[in-house]
Amino acid sequence: MTPVQTYLQSAGDLERGRALFAGSCAGYCHALEPDDREAVYLFDCEWKHGDSDEELFTIITEGILDTRMVGFGPNFPEGDDDKYRIIAFLRANQESCS
């Protein structure tokens, strides 16, 4: 089982992912609800820079060149686990992509 799959099964981990997203991502660039911000809305099915868990992990870690998306590197309190919790939160709240 991948870390994201594991965290998807835990309400506590999903809540931590939500809190991290709200404090690190939604407060500055991305939104929790669709709006007209410059940064893409991450709960739909139209991601621009990859959509696999591995690609999202890399984006959170390294950022995206020539965009406002900075890399967070190891700066979350629980490191890689927190990045996977954010991804799990995104997955748990993503629109159906059929």
Side-chain angles (χ1 to χ4, degrees):
M1 186 175 292
T2 69
V4 170
Q5 292 169 328
T6 299
Y7 294 139
L8 277 167
Q9 298 179 26
S10 166
D13 286 317
L14 288 173
E15 175 55 29
R16 181 164 175 82
R18 185 205 63 76
L20 289 163
F21 182 83
S24 301
C25 311
Y28 300 97
C29 297
H30 300 287
L32 288 164
E33 299 290 330
D35 66 11
D36 61 353
R37 294 183 188 195
E38 179 182 331
V40 297
Y41 177 64
L42 297 176
F43 299 98
D44 61 13
C45 299
E46 299 179 24
W47 295 5
K48 294 182 178 182
H49 300 282
D51 61 0
S52 72
D53 294 346
E54 296 78 19
E55 290 168 319
L56 296 175
F57 183 88
T58 299
I59 289 168
I60 294 168
T61 303
E62 299 175 6
I64 301 171
L65 189 62
D66 298 325
T67 71
R68 291 179 55 193
M69 178 63 200
V70 299
F72 288 91
N75 292 323
F76 289 112
E78 294 184 25
D80 291 353
D81 289 328
D82 279 343
K83 292 177 218 174
Y84 285 121
R85 288 180 180 107
I86 291 170
I87 296 166
F89 169 72
L90 293 173
R91 296 282 185 224
N93 293 282
Q94 191 172 21
E95 297 172 4
S96 176
C97 300
S98 53

